[in-house]
Amino acid sequence: MSFLDDRSKQDFLVYANSVIKARAIPSVEDNLKPIHRKILWTMYEDKLYPEKKTTKCASVVGDALHYSPHGDSSVYGALVRLSQWWKLRYPLITMQGNAGNILGDGAAASRYTECKLSPIGMLMLEDLNKDCVEMKPNYSGEQMEPVVLPSRFPWLLCGNNSGIAVGMSSDLVSHNYTEVAAAIKYYLDHKDCSIADLMQFIKGPDFPTGGMILNGEELLNIYTLGHGAVKVAAHYDISKKGNKTLITFHDIPYGVEIDSGVKAPLKKLVLDDGYDVFEDINVEKAGPRNFDIKITLAKDADVAKCLEILFTKTRLSDSIKINNTVIINGEPKLLNLKQMIEYWVNYRSSIITKIARNDYGKTNHKLTVTIGLQKCMSDIDKLINLIRNSSTTAAAKMSIMKEFDLNDEQATAVLDMKLSRLSRLEITELNDSEKELEETLAKLKSIIEDENIRYDMIKKDLDEMKNIIGKDERLTEIHYARPIEGVLNDKPLVKEEFRIYSDGLHNTVGLNPVDNNLVDVVFAYDVKNIIGYTETAEMRPITELGAPLIGAAAKDGQTKFVAVTANGNIKVSSVSEYKFTKVNEKIMKLKEDDKLIYAAFCNDDDYIVLFNGERNILKLAIKDLTVASKLTVGVKSGFTSVVAAAVVKDSDNLLFVTNDNKGKLTPVKDFSIDNRGNKGQMIAENTTIMRKFDAARESIYVIPKQGKPIIVSRDKISIKSRTAIGASLTTRVVTTII
């Protein structure tokens, strides 16, 4: 049994290694699996160029089987995928006939369809005839095929690809070419750039089926780690159809088919689970590609609840995995965004170098021959007589080498040239040719030796490819539940306070990854100087990627520091108690079952307002609270539970939102000053959110549980008394206000 066990383990490792390297995981150079590369190579050999006519897919599949040991159905399936716009953001094959559709219908048989390379597919193969990539024998050893493609087009970043191997998988998502090209150009000029810098250009994935990414704030973390998941939902409109409501979805998350992902689960909801609020579903063609999914609701249906059901029970909302695992030098490796750009740039630079070296050798040969011919032109009659009087070709070569001082290469070229051509040569023509060849050699040498020249060539290529692609608008919207001012557009953070949520600051663009337990508030002085506070009452400096921390200080004469816990403890301390250095620093002591929920700088003119999550607000004057040392637990506020707090002035407004999405502004001065231990003042029933409203802001962002974030203009929010009901903000369930 020991022998069998060892042999089984050994064979399984061989199998696993083969699946990883030669089947399921794409190569870093061209982001292609072997079967896709074999198909494209076959079409290149068959000269199925974009400007040519299409050819029967059955014929292409037959030719591809010379390189693939798999059956024709698997080869045809891979070929079809390379042509489907809903599978690839930039298809590599143009197909005539029925190639299937996003509904879930399959393609017609290969005998009924035709194909050729798309312009982008041709870009992947360009320069393949210039001996710039390694070739290998096919499985039978009878023909040669490329190990990787030259990949002039940055398919590593623009092409969707996924594969499941043994013990690992790969899920590369597509990005917008225009954004990718801009990021590559920036990288070429700023090799020391951060991932956040690159995200000024590459905003996030751009899926061929559109949709909207709901957790854009997590993209920095995903691009830094090389893996993660984005939450994508379909765009929709709500309209009236008589006395009924019609919800129209205009796109769908990537990888979802309408029939299996939407229609089938909705049918199950109605027939099996009794959801009779959904009366009808109709799918209509909308333009050359997409379909509109129209769902009719019953009269008086709760639209917000129906949307929640649709987004949770069907695949109109889906999580898309990102896992940038590729094969590098025969081994699988996980890459972050910058590494992906770096590897593609280095690969293209090596391809350009190989082409230049090959051209240098050919040009140098032409120059050598030209110089040899120049020597022979001094006495063309003698040359002809030497050749005529020689008994053999070898003897002729030796004679002219000796007589005209030629090397072997030059003598061979002279002997190989036709006499008619030799007699027509003129010395001026040869001199001009020599000058041109020397100039070409100098250019080629500079390409080989100077990296910056190759980078300029890559930039030029990127611009030329943009012209080939043409209109290239982003298809996928990106929404941020936690937008941070200034980071995405490379402007400095000049905001004294900004907010994050329970996921932690590690998901925000431009900042170092940190632990997940940062609380709702951090203080920002500029991009190099940010202080955050954790639930465990620890003060933690966070800096911009690569930037030094330079210390912190309270602004505008703020001399005090207030902290509030979930169990209602409150503590005011002096700013001078804190060092604000790189060393993590405790803000206050916490009991075992308590956590910090709010911390802020303040002064004696300020108030701290607390919300207990029910119907009570407590307004305490900072000047009335005893100043304690930083390592005390503080004092009881009067509330045993606090869900939100804010440092405010009487001139500020508080924003309140109820669980039925009604919002209002209430002046802080409407609340009387409480003493610690009071029960607080009543506000409107069912209030769930309290936020300080910045008077300088013209609008607020409402983040629903599902669907597109909504901007609510300031003039839509009325100022009302403590107990009054506000106006409706949205029909959708509000989870966050920013």
Side-chain angles (χ1 to χ4, degrees), residues 188-310:
L188 292 172
D189 294 330
H190 307 84
K191 286 290 197 66
D192 60 346
C193 65
S194 68
I195 292 174
D197 292 332
L198 295 172
M199 287 184 68
Q200 297 171 41
F201 308 98
I202 299 177
K203 307 299 183 184
D206 192 20
F207 299 109
T209 54
M212 50 186 174
I213 295 172
L214 303 179
N215 60 333
E217 70 281 355
E218 296 185 15
L219 286 170
L220 174 67
N221 197 46
I222 292 171
Y223 283 141
T224 300
L225 298 176
H227 65 87
V230 290
K231 299 172 184 176
V232 181
H235 286 94
Y236 65 88
D237 289 327
I238 300 173
S239 59
K240 283 293 183 181
K241 186 179 179 182
N243 61 356
K244 298 178 181 178
T245 302
L246 183 69
I247 305 176
T248 303
F249 295 92
H250 299 294
D251 47 24
I252 201 164
Y254 177 71
V256 177
E257 293 176 341
I258 293 174
D259 284 349
S260 61
V262 182
K263 292 180 74 174
L266 188 60
K267 182 179 179 181
K268 182 180 184 300
L269 285 173
V270 174
L271 298 180
D272 298 347
D273 302 333
Y275 286 84
D276 55 1
V277 289
F278 303 109
E279 290 194 346
D280 187 32
I281 180 170
N282 186 33
V283 180
E284 297 178 359
K285 187 83 172 171
R289 291 188 169 187
N290 268 340
F291 291 82
D292 278 347
I293 306 168
K294 297 185 176 182
I295 298 174
T296 305
L297 306 183
K299 182 182 177 181
D300 299 327
D302 185 331
V303 178
K305 187 174 181 180
C306 289
L307 278 169
E308 184 176 2
I309 293 168
L310 289 170

Side-chain angles (χ1 to χ4, degrees), residues 36-52:
H36 298 136
R37 193 178 299 114
K38 295 173 192 294
I39 291 169
L40 294 175
W41 166 244
T42 298
M43 297 177 76
Y44 181 80
E45 276 196 310
D46 292 346
K47 295 182 171 55
L48 298 178
Y49 305 149
E51 66 275 11
K52 300 290 184 67

Side-chain angles (χ1 to χ4, degrees), residues 53 75 89 125 149 167 203 311 533 577 656 665:
K53 292 181 179 180
V75 173
R89 178 67 175 82
L125 295 149
L149 299 186
K203 307 299 183 184
F311 280 125
Y533 306 97
E577 289 270 345
F656 294 102
L665 292 174

Side-chain angles (χ1 to χ4, degrees), residues 75 107 114 148 246 301 378 428 521 547 626:
V75 173
E114 296 184 351
V148 291
L246 183 69
S378 61
T428 54
V521 175
T626 304

Side-chain angles (χ1 to χ4, degrees), residues 303-320:
V303 178
K305 187 174 181 180
C306 289
L307 278 169
E308 184 176 2
I309 293 168
L310 289 170
F311 280 125
T312 54
K313 302 291 186 180
T314 76
R315 294 184 68 190
L316 286 165
S317 175
D318 207 7
S319 182
I320 298 174

